[in-house]
Short mmCIF file of all heavy atoms in Angstrom, two decimals:
data_model
loop_
_atom_site.label_atom_id
_atom_site.label_comp_id
_atom_site.label_asym_id
_atom_site.label_seq_id
_atom_site.Cartn_x
_atom_site.Cartn_y
_atom_site.Cartn_z
N ALA Q 81 -43.65 -32.67 -32.24
CA ALA Q 81 -43.89 -31.51 -33.18
C ALA Q 81 -43.13 -31.81 -34.44
O ALA Q 81 -41.93 -32.12 -34.48
CB ALA Q 81 -43.33 -30.23 -32.48
N LEU Q 82 -43.88 -31.80 -35.55
CA LEU Q 82 -43.30 -32.13 -36.82
C LEU Q 82 -43.11 -30.90 -37.63
O LEU Q 82 -44.01 -30.19 -38.13
CB LEU Q 82 -44.29 -33.11 -37.55
CG LEU Q 82 -43.84 -33.74 -38.90
CD1 LEU Q 82 -42.51 -34.48 -38.66
CD2 LEU Q 82 -44.87 -34.69 -39.37
N GLY Q 83 -41.83 -30.50 -37.77
CA GLY Q 83 -41.46 -29.28 -38.51
C GLY Q 83 -41.15 -28.08 -37.62
O GLY Q 83 -41.80 -27.02 -37.82
N THR Q 84 -40.24 -28.17 -36.73
CA THR Q 84 -39.88 -27.05 -35.89
C THR Q 84 -38.75 -26.24 -36.47
O THR Q 84 -38.62 -25.01 -36.14
CB THR Q 84 -39.45 -27.54 -34.49
OG1 THR Q 84 -38.44 -28.47 -34.60
CG2 THR Q 84 -40.62 -28.12 -33.69
N SER Q 85 -37.96 -26.85 -37.33
CA SER Q 85 -36.86 -26.07 -37.95
C SER Q 85 -36.77 -26.27 -39.46
O SER Q 85 -35.77 -25.93 -40.09
CB SER Q 85 -35.53 -26.44 -37.22
OG SER Q 85 -35.17 -27.74 -37.47
N THR Q 86 -37.84 -26.79 -39.93
CA THR Q 86 -38.01 -26.91 -41.44
C THR Q 86 -39.45 -26.98 -41.71
O THR Q 86 -40.27 -27.22 -40.82
CB THR Q 86 -37.32 -28.21 -41.96
OG1 THR Q 86 -37.33 -28.14 -43.41
CG2 THR Q 86 -38.04 -29.44 -41.51
N GLU Q 87 -39.80 -26.76 -42.99
CA GLU Q 87 -41.20 -26.94 -43.39
C GLU Q 87 -41.40 -28.38 -43.82
O GLU Q 87 -40.71 -28.87 -44.77
CB GLU Q 87 -41.51 -25.97 -44.58
CG GLU Q 87 -42.78 -26.26 -45.32
CD GLU Q 87 -44.01 -26.21 -44.53
OE1 GLU Q 87 -44.27 -25.24 -43.83
OE2 GLU Q 87 -44.76 -27.25 -44.51
N PRO Q 88 -42.27 -29.13 -43.17
CA PRO Q 88 -42.43 -30.55 -43.49
C PRO Q 88 -43.08 -30.82 -44.87
O PRO Q 88 -43.11 -31.90 -45.38
CB PRO Q 88 -43.24 -31.13 -42.35
CG PRO Q 88 -43.96 -30.02 -41.82
CD PRO Q 88 -43.11 -28.73 -42.01
N TYR Q 89 -43.71 -29.76 -45.41
CA TYR Q 89 -44.49 -29.93 -46.64
C TYR Q 89 -43.92 -28.99 -47.75
O TYR Q 89 -44.75 -28.36 -48.49
CB TYR Q 89 -46.03 -29.70 -46.40
CG TYR Q 89 -46.60 -30.84 -45.66
CD1 TYR Q 89 -46.82 -30.75 -44.31
CD2 TYR Q 89 -46.87 -32.05 -46.25
CE1 TYR Q 89 -47.31 -31.83 -43.59
CE2 TYR Q 89 -47.41 -33.13 -45.60
CZ TYR Q 89 -47.70 -32.98 -44.22
OH TYR Q 89 -48.22 -34.07 -43.52
N MET Q 90 -42.60 -28.97 -47.89
CA MET Q 90 -42.02 -28.21 -48.98
C MET Q 90 -42.40 -28.93 -50.25
O MET Q 90 -42.86 -30.14 -50.26
CB MET Q 90 -40.48 -28.17 -48.81
CG MET Q 90 -39.98 -27.36 -47.73
SD MET Q 90 -38.19 -27.29 -47.69
CE MET Q 90 -37.71 -28.83 -47.06
N ASP Q 91 -42.10 -28.36 -51.44
CA ASP Q 91 -42.51 -28.91 -52.70
C ASP Q 91 -41.84 -30.36 -52.95
O ASP Q 91 -42.44 -31.23 -53.50
CB ASP Q 91 -42.19 -27.99 -53.87
CG ASP Q 91 -43.14 -26.91 -54.04
OD1 ASP Q 91 -44.24 -26.96 -53.37
OD2 ASP Q 91 -42.89 -25.87 -54.71
N VAL Q 92 -40.59 -30.45 -52.45
CA VAL Q 92 -39.94 -31.77 -52.69
C VAL Q 92 -40.65 -32.90 -51.93
O VAL Q 92 -40.53 -34.07 -52.32
CB VAL Q 92 -38.49 -31.69 -52.12
CG1 VAL Q 92 -37.59 -30.80 -53.00
CG2 VAL Q 92 -38.45 -31.25 -50.65
N GLU Q 93 -41.45 -32.58 -50.94
CA GLU Q 93 -42.20 -33.62 -50.20
C GLU Q 93 -43.21 -34.33 -51.09
O GLU Q 93 -43.52 -35.50 -50.96
CB GLU Q 93 -42.80 -32.97 -49.00
CG GLU Q 93 -43.80 -33.86 -48.21
CD GLU Q 93 -43.37 -35.19 -47.67
OE1 GLU Q 93 -42.07 -35.34 -47.56
OE2 GLU Q 93 -44.15 -36.06 -47.44
N ARG Q 94 -43.65 -33.57 -52.18
CA ARG Q 94 -44.64 -34.27 -53.06
C ARG Q 94 -44.08 -35.50 -53.67
O ARG Q 94 -44.69 -36.50 -53.78
CB ARG Q 94 -45.00 -33.27 -54.24
CG ARG Q 94 -45.82 -32.13 -53.83
CD ARG Q 94 -46.13 -31.17 -55.03
NE ARG Q 94 -46.42 -29.90 -54.57
CZ ARG Q 94 -47.62 -29.51 -54.14
NH1 ARG Q 94 -48.63 -30.42 -54.16
NH2 ARG Q 94 -47.91 -28.37 -53.75
N GLU Q 95 -42.80 -35.47 -54.01
CA GLU Q 95 -42.21 -36.64 -54.60
C GLU Q 95 -41.52 -37.56 -53.57
O GLU Q 95 -41.65 -38.73 -53.64
CB GLU Q 95 -41.13 -36.12 -55.59
CG GLU Q 95 -40.50 -37.22 -56.41
CD GLU Q 95 -39.41 -36.70 -57.40
OE1 GLU Q 95 -39.47 -35.54 -57.74
OE2 GLU Q 95 -38.52 -37.47 -57.68
N LEU Q 96 -40.86 -36.96 -52.62
CA LEU Q 96 -40.04 -37.83 -51.64
C LEU Q 96 -40.90 -38.51 -50.64
O LEU Q 96 -40.67 -39.61 -50.14
CB LEU Q 96 -39.01 -36.98 -50.92
CG LEU Q 96 -37.91 -36.43 -51.87
CD1 LEU Q 96 -36.91 -35.64 -51.05
CD2 LEU Q 96 -37.21 -37.47 -52.67
N GLU Q 97 -41.99 -37.82 -50.21
CA GLU Q 97 -42.95 -38.40 -49.21
C GLU Q 97 -42.27 -38.81 -47.92
O GLU Q 97 -42.64 -39.78 -47.30
CB GLU Q 97 -43.75 -39.56 -49.79
CG GLU Q 97 -44.65 -39.05 -50.99
CD GLU Q 97 -45.70 -40.05 -51.34
OE1 GLU Q 97 -45.68 -41.15 -50.84
OE2 GLU Q 97 -46.65 -39.65 -52.10
N ILE Q 98 -41.17 -38.17 -47.50
CA ILE Q 98 -40.57 -38.49 -46.23
C ILE Q 98 -41.47 -38.10 -45.05
O ILE Q 98 -41.67 -38.87 -44.12
CB ILE Q 98 -39.20 -37.81 -46.05
CG1 ILE Q 98 -38.23 -38.30 -47.15
CG2 ILE Q 98 -38.57 -38.04 -44.74
CD1 ILE Q 98 -36.93 -37.58 -47.23
N THR Q 99 -42.12 -36.94 -45.06
CA THR Q 99 -43.01 -36.59 -44.01
C THR Q 99 -44.13 -37.59 -43.92
O THR Q 99 -44.54 -37.96 -42.85
CB THR Q 99 -43.57 -35.13 -44.28
OG1 THR Q 99 -42.46 -34.24 -44.23
CG2 THR Q 99 -44.64 -34.75 -43.28
N ARG Q 100 -44.68 -37.97 -45.03
CA ARG Q 100 -45.79 -38.97 -45.00
C ARG Q 100 -45.34 -40.31 -44.35
O ARG Q 100 -46.04 -40.93 -43.52
CB ARG Q 100 -46.32 -39.21 -46.44
CG ARG Q 100 -47.52 -40.13 -46.43
CD ARG Q 100 -48.26 -40.27 -47.73
NE ARG Q 100 -49.29 -41.26 -47.59
CZ ARG Q 100 -50.51 -41.04 -47.07
NH1 ARG Q 100 -50.80 -39.89 -46.59
NH2 ARG Q 100 -51.35 -42.04 -47.00
N LYS Q 101 -44.11 -40.73 -44.71
CA LYS Q 101 -43.58 -41.98 -44.11
C LYS Q 101 -43.38 -41.77 -42.60
O LYS Q 101 -43.62 -42.70 -41.82
CB LYS Q 101 -42.33 -42.41 -44.82
CG LYS Q 101 -42.60 -42.92 -46.22
CD LYS Q 101 -41.29 -43.18 -46.94
CE LYS Q 101 -41.49 -43.33 -48.47
NZ LYS Q 101 -40.38 -43.00 -49.29
N VAL Q 102 -42.91 -40.66 -42.28
CA VAL Q 102 -42.71 -40.35 -40.81
C VAL Q 102 -44.02 -40.34 -40.05
O VAL Q 102 -44.15 -40.91 -38.97
CB VAL Q 102 -42.09 -38.95 -40.68
CG1 VAL Q 102 -42.20 -38.35 -39.31
CG2 VAL Q 102 -40.48 -39.02 -40.98
N LEU Q 103 -45.12 -39.87 -40.65
CA LEU Q 103 -46.41 -39.92 -40.06
C LEU Q 103 -46.88 -41.34 -39.90
O LEU Q 103 -47.56 -41.70 -38.97
CB LEU Q 103 -47.39 -39.09 -40.89
CG LEU Q 103 -47.39 -37.56 -40.75
CD1 LEU Q 103 -48.37 -36.89 -41.71
CD2 LEU Q 103 -47.68 -37.12 -39.26
N ASN Q 104 -46.60 -42.18 -40.88
CA ASN Q 104 -46.94 -43.58 -40.83
C ASN Q 104 -46.26 -44.22 -39.60
O ASN Q 104 -46.95 -45.02 -38.92
CB ASN Q 104 -46.43 -44.26 -42.05
CG ASN Q 104 -47.62 -44.73 -42.96
OD1 ASN Q 104 -48.52 -45.33 -42.45
ND2 ASN Q 104 -47.50 -44.51 -44.24
N VAL Q 105 -45.02 -43.87 -39.38
CA VAL Q 105 -44.30 -44.48 -38.22
C VAL Q 105 -44.92 -43.97 -36.94
O VAL Q 105 -45.13 -44.71 -35.95
CB VAL Q 105 -42.80 -44.13 -38.29
CG1 VAL Q 105 -42.05 -44.54 -37.05
CG2 VAL Q 105 -42.16 -44.73 -39.56
N ILE Q 106 -45.22 -42.63 -36.87
CA ILE Q 106 -45.81 -42.11 -35.73
C ILE Q 106 -47.17 -42.77 -35.39
O ILE Q 106 -47.47 -43.10 -34.21
CB ILE Q 106 -45.98 -40.57 -35.88
CG1 ILE Q 106 -44.61 -39.90 -35.87
CG2 ILE Q 106 -46.94 -39.95 -34.80
CD1 ILE Q 106 -44.64 -38.44 -36.25
N SER Q 107 -47.94 -43.03 -36.47
CA SER Q 107 -49.18 -43.72 -36.31
C SER Q 107 -48.98 -45.12 -35.77
O SER Q 107 -49.67 -45.56 -34.84
CB SER Q 107 -49.94 -43.73 -37.59
OG SER Q 107 -51.18 -44.50 -37.51
N TYR Q 108 -48.09 -45.85 -36.31
CA TYR Q 108 -47.83 -47.22 -35.92
C TYR Q 108 -47.48 -47.30 -34.43
O TYR Q 108 -47.99 -48.16 -33.76
CB TYR Q 108 -46.67 -47.84 -36.76
CG TYR Q 108 -46.34 -49.23 -36.44
CD1 TYR Q 108 -47.09 -50.25 -36.94
CD2 TYR Q 108 -45.29 -49.46 -35.49
CE1 TYR Q 108 -46.78 -51.57 -36.56
CE2 TYR Q 108 -44.97 -50.77 -35.12
CZ TYR Q 108 -45.73 -51.83 -35.67
OH TYR Q 108 -45.44 -53.10 -35.31
N HIS Q 109 -46.70 -46.36 -33.97
CA HIS Q 109 -46.24 -46.43 -32.53
C HIS Q 109 -47.22 -45.71 -31.62
O HIS Q 109 -47.01 -45.56 -30.41
CB HIS Q 109 -44.88 -45.87 -32.39
CG HIS Q 109 -43.84 -46.81 -33.03
ND1 HIS Q 109 -43.47 -47.97 -32.43
CD2 HIS Q 109 -43.09 -46.67 -34.15
CE1 HIS Q 109 -42.57 -48.59 -33.23
NE2 HIS Q 109 -42.32 -47.83 -34.25
N ARG Q 110 -48.29 -45.09 -32.17
CA ARG Q 110 -49.36 -44.50 -31.48
C ARG Q 110 -48.95 -43.24 -30.69
O ARG Q 110 -49.43 -43.02 -29.57
CB ARG Q 110 -50.06 -45.48 -30.53
CG ARG Q 110 -50.57 -46.70 -31.29
CD ARG Q 110 -51.35 -47.65 -30.46
NE ARG Q 110 -52.52 -47.05 -29.89
CZ ARG Q 110 -53.39 -47.64 -28.99
NH1 ARG Q 110 -53.04 -48.80 -28.54
NH2 ARG Q 110 -54.52 -47.01 -28.57
#
Side-chain angles (χ1 to χ4, degrees):
L82 188 55
T84 54
S85 63
T86 187
E87 164 59 55
Y89 288 100
M90 292 185 285
D91 283 348
V92 292
E93 169 61 18
R94 288 178 202 280
E95 185 179 336
L96 296 182
E97 297 197 350
I98 297 177
T99 295
R100 184 167 175 84
K101 289 173 195 155
V102 159
L103 282 175
N104 247 315
V105 172
I106 290 172
S107 175
Y108 179 82
H109 290 290
R110 303 185 65 188

